[in-house]
Amino acid sequence: MELGGFQGGHQGSVLCVDVFEDIIVSGGENGDLCQWNNDGHLICKYTEESTDCTSVLISQLKKDVIYAAFNDTVKIFNAGELTLPLDAFSFNSDEINQIAVDEKEKYLAASDDAGEIKVIDLGEKKLYKTLKNKHTNICASVCFRPKKPWELFSGGLDSKLIHWDFSRHKCLNMFDMNELNNPFETTDLYMVSPPFVHHLSASSDGKYLVAALENGLIAVFDSTRKHLRELFSLHTHTQGVSQVHFITEDKFVSGGNDCCIALWDLSKSHDHPDLVLPANAHAVNGTSSENSIAPDPLETKNQTMTDICLMNKIEHTGKINWMKPFYKEHWKIIIGDESDKLTIKTLDIL
């Protein structure tokens, strides 16, 4: 089922969206930041001219606080009062692609086009750390590691997934997505499209990390140990995957440029422990182990995981820029795409 409304606020494409309780916020082209009610009516709007609003985040701890990125600046607003920001932090040197906060909302991380991540101390209102010299291209996504207060993950258009200890500016682990076992070499898409990392999502229990890739794959990692471990790759999208978001500890949704939303259940993979990649598939810091032995056959393993973990697919009308699952009577998902309106769809979760 699709819900209407959410029109008349944006003058261009919707680039980002977030939902928490009764607050819905979206950002888009032409610097539009909009707040909506659950019925899709515009409550208030802020516009930053000559730029785009590229990432929005609603605080889950501080009542009515909204974080938003405009070009190289993070601004903080009170919900319902978007006339003027409460604070502004201009620490990034290039356009911000995503902002994220840690579980206690002490730190905010902003990834940018310069390939850097600025970590801001929100309490002190100052720059805490700059993470750089690892991404060689745009850093598209950043997320904090659950239950590990000094760690975060970043992904970029250099096809790198990097695991940081941001308190020490230390790279703990790095994966080059070009080096991951590619089980679908017979399909043109996975040969032609580079494995850029567009988006990352970590499960709340810290068990999984999933990465949305430009080549249409979703890389799944075990993040229960000190270092990330590659598990398997999922494929159902026929174009680049732009978004991944966990709904529960095992279930997540993905969305892509193929106008498709897929619902996945990773708990199903537990039925096939023999098909998970061995621990030595990739050594620390992303270098492949010369002595590693690939599962046999690799293509069957990844195909099996895709078949058993894919729960449902939903068609959308446009390429998905951003989406966010939320629960209100039923599981739903709000979508921002190339149009100037938002869409809400109901997810069929058993």
Side-chain angles (χ1 to χ4, degrees):
M1 183 178 70
E2 184 172 311
L3 303 179
F6 300 99
Q7 299 185 58
H10 288 280
Q11 305 304 308
S13 297
V14 180
L15 302 177
C16 52
V17 62
D18 197 18
V19 182
F20 183 63
E21 296 181 346
D22 292 327
I23 301 175
I24 300 173
V25 179
S26 59
E29 294 178 338
N30 307 311
D32 290 334
L33 173 65
C34 300
Q35 183 180 340
W36 314 82
N37 64 17
N38 288 316
D39 296 323
H41 295 116
L42 184 66
I43 295 175
C44 53
K45 177 179 175 179
Y46 172 87
T47 299
E48 184 87 17
E49 295 183 357
S50 303
T51 187
D52 297 329
C53 181
T54 54
S55 186
V56 291
L57 195 63
I58 303 169
S59 171
Q60 298 191 28
L61 298 181
K62 304 170 186 176
K63 183 174 175 59
D64 296 339
V65 169
I66 295 169
Y67 307 98
F70 299 88
N71 194 20
D72 59 359
T73 302
V74 178
K75 297 192 174 186
I76 302 178
F77 298 85
N78 266 336
E81 302 175 14
L82 301 182
T83 51
L84 291 173
L86 302 175
D87 277 304
F89 304 113
S90 298
F91 298 122
N92 292 77
S93 61
D94 212 330
E95 184 174 79
I96 296 168
N97 295 300
Q98 187 181 2
I99 54 176
V101 292
D102 69 323
E103 290 172 303
K104 295 183 178 180
E105 291 191 27
K106 177 174 173 57
Y107 298 104
L108 181 146
S111 60
D112 64 29
D113 279 2
E116 299 180 354
I117 302 107
K118 300 291 184 176
V119 181
I120 302 168
D121 186 323
L122 293 172
E124 298 291 331
K125 299 183 180 182
K126 66 180 183 180
L127 180 65
Y128 178 73
K129 281 287 190 300
T130 298
L131 307 180
K132 59 182 181 179
N133 299 329
K134 291 298 180 182
H135 284 295
T136 58
N137 205 325
I138 291 169
C139 184
S141 183
V142 62
C143 73
F144 286 88
R145 187 181 189 184
K147 306 185 184 303
K148 298 289 184 179
W150 297 110
E151 297 178 26
L152 58 77
F153 305 111
S154 63
L157 272 58
D158 54 0
S159 303
K160 297 291 197 308
L161 167 62
I162 300 177
H163 175 195
W164 302 87
D165 178 341
F166 67 87
S167 68
R168 296 183 293 164
H169 191 280
K170 183 177 181 181
C171 173
L172 300 176
N173 207 197
M174 181 165 64
F175 285 84
D176 185 341
M177 294 298 159
N178 289 294
E179 296 179 359
L180 293 188
N181 292 298
N182 186 345
F184 307 110
E185 293 180 352
T186 57
T187 305
D188 290 343
L189 168 68
Y190 308 109
M191 294 178 65
V192 176
S193 300
F196 298 156
V197 182
H198 287 306
H199 196 231
L200 300 170
S201 182
S203 60
S204 60
D205 60 355
K207 187 174 183 179
Y208 296 110
L209 178 74
V210 292
L213 307 182
E214 172 63 25
N215 64 1
L217 297 180
I218 302 165
V220 182
F221 294 86
D222 174 1
S223 60
T224 59
R225 308 178 186 187
K226 182 178 180 180
H227 294 292
L228 288 177
R229 181 169 69 106
E230 178 194 0
L231 292 176
F232 45 80
S233 295
L234 302 171
H235 74 106
T236 194
H237 293 282
T238 58
Q239 295 184 43
V241 187
S242 56
Q243 288 279 284
V244 280
H245 291 273
F246 273 92
I247 297 175
T248 66
E249 293 177 349
D250 294 305
K251 294 183 177 67
F252 75 93
V253 290
S254 61
N257 293 334
D258 57 354
C259 310
C260 176
I261 299 165
L263 178 61
W264 305 89
D265 184 356
L266 295 180
S267 68
K268 303 291 186 182
S269 67
H270 303 165
D271 298 333
H272 296 269
D274 54 314
L275 295 181
V276 174
L277 286 176
N280 66 343
H282 286 274
V284 175
N285 293 328
T287 56
S288 299
S289 171
E290 295 180 359
N291 299 320
S292 63
I293 300 175
D296 184 25
L298 182 62
E299 183 171 352
T300 299
K301 179 212 64 167
N302 284 275
Q303 186 62 57
T304 299
M305 289 303 186
T306 295
D307 292 342
I308 64 176
C309 293
L310 182 61
M311 298 175 62
N312 192 18
K313 292 180 71 173
I314 303 171
E315 295 301 321
H316 186 54
T317 54
K319 294 181 179 180
I320 295 167
N321 289 329
W322 208 277
M323 62 187 194
K324 183 64 182 291
F326 65 100
Y327 189 85
K328 194 171 183 63
E329 298 179 351
H330 306 282
W331 274 107
K332 301 174 183 178
I333 191 161
I334 189 164
I335 304 161
D337 56 32
E338 294 177 312
S339 73
D340 58 4
K341 65 184 181 68
L342 296 166
T343 305
I344 293 181
K345 295 179 181 287
T346 299
L347 294 174
D348 185 14
I349 300 178
L350 300 178

